[in-house]
Amino acid sequence: MTYCVGMMLDKGLVMMSDTRTNAGVDNISTFKKMFTWEVPGERILTVMTAGNLATTQALVSLLDERTKAPEDREPSILSAPSMFQVARQVAKTLKSVIATHADEGQRADSAFNATVLLGGQIKGSPPRLFLIYPEGNFIEAGAETPFFQIGETKYGKPILVRAYDPEMSFEEAVKLMLVSFDSTVKANLSVGLPFDLQVIERDTYKVAQQCRIAADDPYYLEISTSWGEALKSAMDSLPSFKF
Amino acid sequence: MTYCVGMMLDKGLVMMSDTRTNAGVDNISTFKKMFTWEVPGERILTVMTAGNLATTQALVSLLDERTKAPEDREPSILSAPSMFQVARQVAKTLKSVIATHADEGQRADSAFNATVLLGGQIKGSPPRLFLIYPEGNFIEAGAETPFFQIGETKYGKPILVRAYDPEMSFEEAVKLMLVSFDSTVKANLSVGLPFDLQVIERDTYKVAQQCRIAADDPYYLEISTSWGEALKSAMDSLPSFKF
């Protein structure tokens, strides 16, 4: 499994992904699931992936190769005129990678599936965030649904729904995401640290902040341990039930 | 879908179930999923069900018919000597109901499945709580895992994990459960009010409290609206992230 969240704020985008992959609980590994392409001052594109690792690595390699020799290898996501066109290219590439492997055998269709979050901004348009399905279609975040999750989405969703605020600072958004990730990690062994974090500030067209949060990160440990107490206090603050 | 929680406290058992059943999002109904058999002063048995409604209703009807003419229709859960033997009877009945229908057609195996929570106490033994699988086997709650969920378990789990305390009062447990149910209802349309609530106090062998919490219940509405604020305060109480 996997857990990735992409969140649109008034100030820009915050993206966070875990790094655990597993083939059964007895075979876990650490792989990066967040990938970025930049043309400083013109565009910033970040992809996060969930699903079959062979599929997502092939997708990222294909997208990457095309950016390195754009004159020969169209279409490149670095030359697409809009975020919508970038999403179409990513979606088409994803669908074709899955189709390549699904052709080979029976019952293999869903096993090769993957889902992608694409966030970024191209000069002249606002930041945009897309959720791309293995079928090659996609949806875009908006004011009513300003964040997307992929992978193990359920454990970490209630806190996002309740505490999200489009006006929050990047620091507050990271804190909120860490609580959401911590709830997920505690419930699903197939989601694990370290986490990759990236912030894209509106109208800067570059990575504003990027870091990896390790399992022994003091801030993460503090959040993880104090959240239990904070929740108990929140419960205490609610009115009491009477039979 | 469904959401039911059975929780073991030092003081006894608390059980809560939703009442929504659905066949697609365009066909929802309200059905009771909590059923109780009592021999006052000797035993109290409560069953909560998730899964195929025809299966769970057949299960409850079979269990119920046998209790009404126990001399003719052995085995009855009212004459079983222990909670473990009650669990075996429920499990065996459940498995046989599923098998009856699964015989009839192809691919129908999992569609007829159901899962059961069984809680109660028989004089001479402590209260016990079981999670019974459609395969007819079951597990029992203990000090390390003092509550079970069935149905849509994920959205409501993090708060239970964090805020559960075996020493809590029944009132506190109900408050905690309502928060867990509220998070689930807000995320999954196939879980819905009203909720059925039952409290079994240790060594009383009868229902201590029982009520139905409707969608317009003032206490529920207060919890539902104030939990968002309480969570935001809890988030604010955590230390701030710094890049």
Side-chain angles (χ1 to χ4, degrees), chain A residues 13 15 34-40 42-48 63 67 76-87 89-90 117-123 128 130 198 200 205-207 210:
Chain A
L13 293 165
M15 318 280 272
M34 182 189 287
F35 306 90
T36 299
W37 292 266
E38 268 184 301
V39 179
E42 197 273 328
R43 72 179 61 201
I44 167 88
L45 307 171
T46 294
V47 154
M48 296 191 292
L63 295 175
T67 64
S76 159
I77 53 175
L78 292 189
S79 58
S82 67
M83 284 300 298
F84 175 72
Q85 294 297 338
V86 174
Q89 286 187 24
V90 174
L117 286 185
L118 165 69
Q121 186 177 12
I122 295 175
K123 200 163 189 170
R128 294 172 78 174
F130 295 90
Q198 188 177 100
I200 299 173
Y205 314 105
K206 61 185 174 65
V207 175
Q210 184 157 346

Side-chain angles (χ1 to χ4, degrees), chain B residues 59 66 75 87-97 132 136:
Chain B
L59 167 72
R66 289 177 195 155
R88 285 186 67 178
Q89 286 186 25
V90 175
K92 195 176 166 191
T93 309
L94 173 63
K95 187 181 173 182
S96 80
V97 170
I132 301 172

